[in-house]
Amino acid sequence: MLYPMVESCLPTNILQAWQRSAKWKDADKTTNKLNKLMQFLRMEVEVNDVGSGSHKIEVLIGGDIYGKLLTGKLHQLESGLTAIETLLGWTVLGKVKTCGEWSSTSMIVTSMLNSSSTITNLWDLEKIGIDDPCEKLTKAEVDDQVREHFRQTVSRDSDAQRRLENATQKLKADGKYMDYEQVFKQWLNLDVIEEVKGECVSCHYLPHRPVYKPDSSTTKVRPVFDASCCSAGGASSLNQCLAKGPNLLELIPDLLLRFREKSVAATADIEKAFLMIGVKEDDRNFLRFLWWEDSTCSDMKIYRHKRVVFGVNCSPFLLSAVIEYHLRRVDQHLRSTADKLLTTLYMLIM
C-alpha cells in the first residue's frame, strides 16, 4: 500500500530515472517493491551531492486557487491515480487500487489510525495552510483583548473601605468543623458571599474543602475551591471556560537587581487580597457552592461568591490588574511613589 504512495510523491526526473533503472524491472518480479525503491533512492543520494537531488514543497495551494492552475490535460494511470497537468507542473490525485492481498493490511492500518484520531484532529489537518492567518490571534493580541475587557468593565466599589476595616477580624471557634463553619459565617458578615434561593438556568457549583494550618497565627483554616474540577459527564471545568489573562508581574531577575540597588528594602502583606475585589452580579452564579444548614448536616444552603475566588485561573491577573488600576489613579503628590511600586511589586500568592 505504501509503495504507490511513495512513488507518486517523486519528482518527474527522479521518477523517470527510477523507471529506467534495473531495480524497477526487478521490482515487478517481487512483492516487496518498496524496499527496491528505497535502495534506488539511497543510491541516488550517495551518487549526487547532498541536496542536489532533493525537492521540497514550496507552496501549499488551497482549493479556491487550484482550479485556476489547471490546463485541462489529464491521464488516467493504471494504478488508479489521475495525472493532471497544471501551470506549475504535473500533479497526481486519486485513490490507489488495492488488490486482494493488500485489503486486510489496508484495513488494519486504517483502523489503527482512526483509533488514535478524532474528527476535530482530522479537520485541523485538512485546514493546514488554508486558514487565513488573519483569523488567528497571537497570544499578545489575546492578552491585549483581556486587558481591554478589564479596563472596560472595572469599577471602584464605594464600599471598599468598609470591607478593608472588617477584614481585620479574626476567627474564633472551638473545633475543626466549627472553624470551617465560622469562615462562611464571617464571609457572610463581610459581604464576601451571599445566600441564594433555588436553581438558575445557567450556573456552576464549585467543590471546596478546608485546608488547616494549626501553627498559623492568622488563618488556621481556609476554604479551597477547585475551579479545575470536571464533571463525570466530561463537561468543561470553569477554568477551561475562562481567559487566564496575561502575567502582569515583573520578572524576578529584574526585581532582584533593583532589590540590591539600595541598603533598605520593604515588604508588605495585603490581607485577604482576593476578597477585596468584587465580581459582577451577572457572573456570580458561576461561583456558587453548597454548605450545610447547621451542624446536623441534614439540609443544605446555596451560596455564591461576590468576590474573586482563590483557585480560579484568572484570579492572579485580576489581582495584579486591580493593583495597577489603583496605582495609576493616585493623586499627583503620590505619583512618584506609585510609579516605583508599579515596577517593584511581586506578589507571592500563598
Side-chain angles (χ1 to χ4, degrees):
M1 184 182 71
L2 294 177
Y3 170 76
M5 296 174 62
V6 175
E7 188 181 49
S8 65
C9 295
L10 297 176
T12 305
N13 58 334
I14 299 296
L15 185 60
Q16 290 175 349
W18 158 242
Q19 293 177 348
R20 294 170 184 166
S21 66
K23 289 187 176 295
W24 180 77
K25 297 177 182 178
D26 293 338
D28 287 338
K29 303 176 183 178
T30 177
T31 57
N32 201 350
K33 295 182 179 181
L34 185 58
N35 281 346
K36 294 290 184 180
L37 176 58
M38 298 307 295
Q39 291 174 8
F40 166 78
L41 294 176
R42 191 177 296 110
M43 290 176 58
E44 286 292 310
V45 172
E46 292 174 354
V47 170
N48 297 295
D49 294 334
V50 177
S52 62
S54 63
H55 293 260
K56 62 180 180 180
I57 298 176
E58 297 289 351
V59 180
L60 186 60
I61 302 173
D64 54 339
I65 303 296
Y66 182 69
K68 301 177 182 179
L69 302 177
L70 299 177
T71 64
K73 296 182 181 179
L74 59 89
H75 294 284
Q76 191 67 41
L77 305 180
E78 294 180 0
S79 62
L81 299 174
T82 303
I84 302 176
E85 187 185 37
T86 70
L87 297 178
L88 302 177
W90 286 88
T91 61
V92 181
L93 303 174
K95 182 179 180 182
V96 179
K97 295 179 180 179
T98 57
C99 59
E101 63 184 79
W102 292 350
S103 59
S104 60
T105 307
S106 62
M107 289 177 63
I108 292 173
V109 173
T110 303
S111 64
M112 290 173 65
L113 288 174
N114 288 340
S115 65
S116 60
S117 300
T118 62
I119 296 297
T120 7
N121 289 339
L122 295 177
W123 288 340
D124 291 339
L125 288 174
E126 290 180 354
K127 293 190 298 181
I128 291 177
I130 299 176
D131 283 344
D132 189 346
C134 296
E135 297 177 358
K136 299 181 180 180
L137 297 178
T138 64
K139 184 177 183 301
E141 290 172 332
V142 173
D143 290 346
D144 290 341
Q145 287 185 356
V146 173
R147 283 195 182 98
E148 183 59 28
H149 176 74
F150 173 82
R151 285 193 288 266
Q152 295 294 333
T153 56
V154 67
S155 62
R156 178 172 292 188
D157 193 341
S158 59
D159 199 32
Q161 184 63 31
R162 184 184 64 83
R163 293 204 308 267
L164 183 61
E165 295 172 355
N166 292 336
T168 58
Q169 298 178 4
K170 306 299 180 182
L171 294 175
K172 295 180 180 180
D174 298 328
K176 287 188 175 181
Y177 175 86
M178 295 305 298
D179 285 341
Y180 202 42
E181 170 79 14
Q182 189 66 24
V183 173
F184 296 130
K185 288 182 178 180
Q186 185 191 39
W187 281 3
L188 275 172
N189 294 332
L190 297 176
D191 206 28
V192 172
I193 59 176
E194 60 185 355
E195 184 180 356
V196 291
K197 302 291 185 181
E199 295 291 335
C200 64
V201 177
S202 180
C203 61
H204 178 79
Y205 288 83
L206 294 171
H208 58 94
R209 64 183 180 88
V211 174
Y212 294 97
K213 293 183 178 180
D215 300 331
S216 175
S217 59
T218 56
T219 307
K220 294 182 179 181
V221 59
R222 182 179 67 187
V224 175
F225 293 86
D226 186 5
S228 297
C229 179
C230 298
S231 64
S236 300
S237 67
L238 179 62
N239 279 345
Q240 290 174 324
C241 300
L242 295 174
K244 185 177 181 180
N247 182 12
L248 300 182
L249 297 179
E250 286 286 312
L251 297 176
I252 293 180
D254 296 345
L255 287 173
L256 292 177
L257 288 175
R258 286 195 292 269
F259 183 82
R260 297 171 63 91
E261 287 181 354
K262 308 295 181 181
S263 57
V264 178
T267 61
D269 178 24
I270 303 176
E271 186 176 4
K272 297 181 176 60
F274 290 108
L275 302 185
M276 299 297 150
I277 307 171
V279 177
K280 289 178 61 177
E281 188 171 357
D282 296 341
D283 299 329
R284 293 174 187 173
N285 280 326
F286 297 97
L287 301 175
R288 289 189 172 201
F289 67 96
L290 301 173
W291 186 241
W292 299 112
E293 177 82 27
D294 50 42
S295 58
T296 61
C297 300
S298 56
D299 296 319
M300 303 194 79
K301 284 186 176 182
I302 300 176
Y303 296 99
R304 66 180 184 182
H305 290 272
K306 300 177 68 175
R307 310 291 164 72
V308 171
V309 180
F310 179 79
V312 177
N313 62 353
C314 60
S315 297
F317 161 73
L318 292 175
L319 179 57
S320 301
V322 166
I323 293 176
E324 179 181 340
Y325 174 82
H326 287 299
L327 289 176
R328 293 192 183 280
R329 284 159 179 78
V330 298
D331 295 334
Q332 188 60 37
H333 68 282
L334 298 174
R335 182 75 269 156
S336 59
T337 303
D339 290 340
K340 289 181 180 179
L341 289 175
L342 281 171
T343 59
T344 55
L345 279 178
Y346 185 84
M347 286 174 291
L348 184 60
I349 301 172
M350 303 295 288

